[in-house]
């Protein structure tokens, strides 16, 4: 199963909106074939492994190790459970069950009904970690949100005048490219677009296609000349449905996504702002699994306050940006230490001179 997980990782940047899945066929303790899901629309991992057998008869009596429950429904390809039954495997060992409502245990049932022994849960946690976005989208109808920030030792993400390029070194910035590449969408706020005019694309050698780029922009202020709008790939500008769209933006290459205003912001007491829950539901409806956020403190703070951050990834550079620098999270003042948001460690690693820390907000556990 550990090998099947390694194989699944090969599809890290290419399977969305499908999950990353690997499969190993074994007999008498030896691997006889392996496969992984390479691309949405292409064959699933089980079918790839079966096709890799020199002699199709060799599957008879073999054990299939699969990182995700074999599908039982006709999607873009026929059910993998049927392919395993037809191939005559004796046993299927599954790491994680598929939360997709059209599978969700039905794959296991189908295999058992055909007399095939099934076990689930082997390296289940590691297998689920391959697909945090797919799993959350199936279970909760929203994507997995990873917030990336580059900050100084004094917790600032830009100078007081807004300049932030570059806080971290080339090694950290290269690492960010790999995280962008695995995401279904890259999300920023209009504040960052106005200040930095970022590209927000993937610039990895050999990488094909681009994640969806999303600008959260309640009052449709995105300049039609923004750099990101002219680059290959789709750009979505998410604004408030009741706000007028300027003509230039309406005829720009951007796709406009009108959304409701966040509760409490439409009443005139606060500036009208996009409802971030509605935004995430809209991105899930577009089959976005992982959303990679590179925004300023306003949007990062609002996402955190809305309970929509699943992972925080912060690159800390060994420098100071000064007390008028911009904070990583703009949050309402806290008056009680007991109410301070807490985080659990995922990992930490050096990239050149910068330290990358990854954390999980504790509210995800409650
Ligand atoms: N070091 C880093 O990692 C990093 C990364 C990105 C940016 N930055 C820096 O951050 C600065 C920009 O920060 P920022 O906070 O102004 O930009 P931001 O967070 O990217 O964008 C903020 C804007 O998003 C819009 N928005 C729409 N819906 C919202 C909602 N529900 N909640 C909050 N905001 C919402 C708001 O404008 P509307 O009300 O008009 O919609 C808000 O002003 C720049 O100096 C940039 O260089 C640093």
């Amino acid at each position: 199963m550990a090998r099947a997980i390694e194989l699944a990782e090969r599809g890290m940047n290419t399977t969305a909106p499908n999950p990353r899945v690997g499969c190993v066929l074994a007999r008498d303790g030896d691997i006889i074939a392996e496969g992984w899901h390479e691309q949405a629309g292409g064959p699933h991992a089980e079918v790839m492994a079966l096709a890799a057998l020199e002699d199709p008869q060799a599957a008879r009596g073999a054990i299939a190790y699969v990182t995700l429950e074999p599908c039982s429904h006709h999607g873009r390809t026929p059910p993998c459970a049927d392919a395993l039954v037809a191939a005559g495997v004796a046993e299927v060992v599954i790491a994680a069950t598929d939360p997709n409502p059209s599978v969700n245990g039905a794959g296991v049932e189908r295999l058992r009904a055909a007399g095939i022994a099934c076990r689930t849960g082997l390296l289940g946690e590691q297998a689920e970690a391959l697909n945090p976005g797919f799993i959350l989208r199936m279970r909760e109808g929203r994507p997995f949100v990873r917030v990336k920030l580059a900050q100084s030792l004094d917790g600032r993400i830009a100078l007081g005048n807004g300049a932030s390029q570059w806080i971290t070194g080339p090694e950290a910035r290269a690492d960010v490219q790999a995280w962008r590449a695995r995401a279904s969408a890259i999300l920023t706020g209009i504040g960052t677009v106005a200040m930095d005019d970022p590209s927000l694309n993937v610039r990895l050698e050999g990488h094909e296609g681009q994640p969806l780029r999303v600008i959260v922009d309640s009052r449709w202020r995105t300049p039609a000349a923004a750099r990101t709008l002219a680059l290959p790939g789709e750009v979505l500008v998410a604004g408030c449905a009741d706000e007028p769209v300027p003509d230039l933006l309406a005829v720009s290459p951007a796709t406009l996504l009108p959304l409701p205003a966040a509760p409490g912001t439409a009443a005139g007491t606060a500036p009208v702002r996009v409802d971030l829950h509605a935004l995430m539901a809209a991105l899930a409806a577009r089959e976005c699994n992982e959303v990679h956020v590179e925004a300023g403190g306003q949007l990062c703070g609002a996402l955190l306050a809305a309970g929509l951050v699943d992972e925080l990834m912060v690159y800390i550079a060994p420098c100071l940006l000064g007390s008028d620098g911009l904070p990583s999270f703009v949050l309402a003042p806290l008056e009680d230490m007991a109410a301070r948001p807490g985080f659990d460690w995922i990992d930490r690693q050096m990239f050149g001179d910068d330290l990358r820390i990854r954390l999980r907000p504790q509210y995800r556990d409650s």
Side-chain angles (χ1 to χ4, degrees):
M1 189 62 83
R3 174 65 183 153
I5 289 173
E6 269 176 24
L7 293 167
E9 281 168 356
R10 296 188 185 176
M12 190 58 77
N13 301 348
T14 51
T15 66
N18 288 351
R20 300 142 184 151
V21 187
C23 175
V24 163
L25 296 174
R27 177 192 285 282
D28 303 326
D30 290 326
I31 291 178
I32 55 170
E34 40 185 49
W36 67 96
H37 184 41
E38 293 179 5
Q39 217 151 17
H44 290 184
E46 303 86 324
V47 173
M48 292 293 284
L50 290 169
L53 287 168
E54 273 178 31
D55 172 11
Q57 292 302 319
R60 304 227 154 260
I63 304 180
Y65 292 86
V66 201
T67 57
L68 190 71
E69 179 182 3
C71 63
S72 51
H73 62 297
H74 284 266
R76 282 191 260 193
T77 56
C80 293
D82 291 1
L84 291 169
V85 172
V89 301
E91 185 178 355
V92 178
V93 184
I94 295 162
T97 48
D98 187 344
N100 183 344
S102 48
V103 186
N104 204 11
V108 171
E109 269 173 40
R110 204 153 173 140
L111 292 165
R112 287 197 174 131
I116 296 175
C118 277
R119 274 194 290 147
T120 57
L122 180 64
L123 300 186
E125 217 170 291
Q126 289 93 318
E128 287 211 348
L130 285 167
N131 294 303
F134 177 79
I135 291 172
L136 201 60
R137 180 161 70 83
M138 292 300 148
R139 290 199 180 132
E140 296 183 25
R142 72 168 182 85
F144 182 93
V145 178
R146 181 178 288 116
V147 169
K148 169 259 157 183
L149 287 164
Q151 70 175 46
S152 59
L153 288 177
D154 48 353
R156 308 288 162 174
I157 60 162
L159 295 177
N161 65 13
S164 67
Q165 289 165 342
W166 301 104
I167 295 173
T168 49
E171 294 88 347
R173 298 209 304 277
D175 183 55
V176 171
Q177 286 290 320
W179 292 93
R180 282 186 182 182
R182 61 177 278 167
S184 302
I186 298 175
L187 185 125
T188 195
I190 180 63
T192 299
V193 171
M195 184 66 208
D196 300 347
D197 196 14
S199 304
L200 296 173
N201 59 353
V202 178
R203 299 184 291 274
L204 278 186
E205 222 179 282
H207 182 81
E208 285 178 20
Q210 287 292 333
L212 177 69
R213 300 190 288 277
V214 185
I215 303 171
V216 193
D217 175 15
S218 316
R219 288 165 287 148
W220 310 105
R221 290 187 289 139
T222 299
R227 179 177 294 148
T228 194
L229 299 190
L231 295 170
E234 187 182 3
V235 183
L236 204 60
V237 179
C240 289
D242 291 341
E243 296 290 312
V245 179
D247 295 344
L248 269 182
L249 183 59
V251 298
S252 78
T255 305
L256 306 186
L257 176 67
L259 290 170
T265 69
T269 49
V272 75
R273 285 214 154 143
V274 165
D275 181 336
L276 298 175
H277 288 278
L279 170 64
M280 292 307 164
L283 294 181
R286 287 177 154 251
E287 299 190 306
C288 289
N289 287 341
E290 291 177 26
V291 172
H292 173 93
V293 180
E294 293 193 26
Q298 300 251 13
L299 189 55
C300 292
L303 286 165
L304 197 65
L308 286 170
V309 178
D310 300 295
E311 184 180 316
L312 192 56
M313 186 165 72
V314 185
Y315 297 84
I316 303 173
C319 66
L320 300 171
L321 293 181
S323 53
D324 67 337
L326 305 185
S328 337
F329 295 97
V330 175
L331 291 170
L334 286 169
E335 278 161 21
D336 180 1
M337 282 299 279
R340 69 199 196 277
F343 296 83
D344 292 322
W345 289 98
I346 300 174
D347 63 24
R348 45 205 178 273
Q349 194 178 333
M350 291 301 294
F351 289 85
D353 287 337
D354 306 313
L355 170 66
R356 186 192 76 192
I357 58 175
R358 291 171 62 220
L359 307 126
R360 191 177 299 112
Q362 283 170 351
Y363 63 50
R364 287 300 301 148
D365 305 331
S366 55

